[in-house]
Amino acid sequence: MGVSMIDVQRDAVLRAIKDAARGEWKLLVVDQTSWKLIQNVVTEDDILAHHIANIEQIEQKRATNRDIDAIYLLTAEPHIVDCIMADFERRRYRKASLLWTSLLHASLRERIDKSRLAQEQLLQLKVLDIGFYAKESHLVTLRDPWSFPILFHPACNNLVRQHLADLAQKIVSVCVSLGEYPTIRFYRPRIAAHDAAVLCSHLARFVQDEIDMYATYHRDFPPPSPRPRAALYILDRSMDLIAPVVHEFTYQAMVHDLLPIKDGEKVTYRMQVGGSDRRGEEKDVEVSEKDKLWVVNRHRHMKDTIEKLMGEFQRFMRDNPNFTDSNPDNATSLSAIKDMMAGLPQFQEMKEAYSLHLTMAQEAMNQFQNRKLPDLASVEQSLATGLDEDHKKPKGMADQIIRSLDADDVGQPDRLRLLILYLLFRDGLLPSDTEKLLAHAQLPPMDGDALRNLHLLGARIARSLKDAKSNFQPLFPTKPPSTDPQEEYSLSRFTPALKSLLQEHSKNTLDQTVFPFTKPQMENDDSSESVAHTSLRSAKPTWAKTRASGNEPRQRVLVFMAGGATYSESRSCYEITEETNKDVYLITSHMMNPSLFIRQVGDLSVDKRRLAIPTEQPKPKAPAHLFEADPPPAAPTNSTPPPQQQGRPPPPTSQMANMKLDGHAASSNGQAMRGPTHQQPPPPSQPNVTQPKEGEKGEKKKKHGLFHRSKK
């Protein structure tokens, strides 16, 4: 399956911390953004195990500690540089190692280089190139849904150039993390009918310049490897407008489409736990790579997922007859299995995993039936593929559309998705016909905006009477399957354009006029195509590979999808990885489900100011408290009277008279009085970690939680 991007990023973070610590106890200082990036792949305990005494956030109030070194792991933003410069001016720590998640702007780097205080305190300054989020083993996102309006909104032209430069830097960071210096190809539409048609070509050249510059300044890049040279494809959302709209019935894509799954810093699903009745507690359960059931089943068709979950549970019941009196043959439905699991408290971890997926699968199937998706999906597949279930050109599609719009169980979102597919199928409609369909579907005006805004992504939405015949040619023509699919799979005939692209790449048959290189390729170039031709010369199917061919170094194929990617496209990358000798990685600004895509397309016609794009908002500033002077230390409390201020103090004649040579003084009643004892040294502490000062003990005891955890 190839190396996991989660492991790559995790190893980079921990290795950088370990190298900076050098076996000595130090503090780790992060900012809000870098901490989210770190937490995505590393736990707090992993960090504290690498000689980190405490984790602090640079934007928060922190105590000065000049007896210990600090490791800063920060994002390369102007206000973060202001924060670090404030620390240098105050000499908050003894020395500092400065690690950046991505490349600093030249002006910010110059500011640090020219600061005398900074140079006196710096031990090292290093760029880690980890400014991205590894969402899955072969899926990387930038968590930037604002990329879509910046790239496609007509009023955002002034933001595009800087955004492309930022995207290029992050794409290169992924390449550097993998140790790949790839050939670069980009999508060039056959018909440049929209302003964003040049998007991929510009971004590809930004990436080429960025990675060439990196190679110039890093002579050891790329590192030696037996793998063929990698390939990088720069694509954008306009290449495939059907994939974000059509109903998908594989497990991951289906639950993200039909269920209220929260896809933010974590992917969570709210479900009832603690019982099968209504008294159970509701809880947000995380769905991640740590869940093996999820990883194994997420790309399966829902029918196969349910069969596998039920089969595994029935096998568990047969293997463990002593823990339940239930008959395993009764576990024939999702509801029955959930009820039986409530009686298995001995297997809590197994219960939670199966309960999550059985609940999601059952709720998704409920939505599938209640929304009459079997009938609707049949029409969608004919529109998306251009072929009916008999692999012939579909007929009477207008009548089928009207009947679907009239169905009571077809909701407003599904009616809009159906109209979008029909518009794309017809390669545009008469404007009057579009308005009639919108009125017949009883859709609100904002849904009409989503339909009409598709022209900003290259779709043809309007035709005149003179344009009787469409000259539209699909990017990858649909090929009839070699065998007739079963009825359940006939609703999943559509293949995303990305999967067709990867298949053509593996066969070295991809059209270079539509997907040109950024640099001319020489005949003896060790490119992906030349190697692919050699590695596939046997032309054997996957199941017929020999043991030797399975051990051949695998080429890495990186795909960047500008404007967001779908879960069906992510699944396609995994499938090509399994079917060929390629390791495919998908990189995108954000993952989108159909509702998000339609909402973002509809927003392309609203006033840009209503979108509140972060790059046009006031820039964050360093907190004011970083530039305030430290409070003076509290005066020590002493019960002894102050010394005399005028004249010389009287000689201690009485004390001298009572002094004994054995070190004790006689009291007034003749008994010996012990003099002041010597202060005991503090107990030994962790290596190289200074004990807190007396005035700081009370404050540190109050601090707890994420950024104030002490090493014990």
Side-chain angles (χ1 to χ4, degrees), residues 42-43 67 127 184 193 233 241 400 409 505 574 615:
V42 181
T43 65
D67 297 322
V127 178
I184 301 176
Y233 286 91
L241 298 178
Q400 296 186 47
D409 297 317
H505 167 84
Y574 285 96
T615 55

Side-chain angles (χ1 to χ4, degrees), residues 96-139:
S97 297
L98 195 48
L99 309 177
W100 298 101
T101 60
S102 57
L103 185 65
L104 269 175
H105 191 273
S107 61
L108 300 178
R109 175 64 184 267
E110 184 180 6
R111 182 180 173 190
I112 296 175
D113 291 342
K114 290 186 175 180
S115 170
R116 179 180 58 83
L117 289 174
Q119 296 306 313
E120 290 175 356
Q121 298 171 61
L122 271 180
L123 293 174
Q124 68 167 328
L125 190 152
K126 185 177 180 181
V127 178
L128 302 183
D129 291 302
I130 56 171
F132 52 86
Y133 295 89
K135 189 178 182 70
E136 296 177 4
S137 63
H138 285 55
L139 174 60

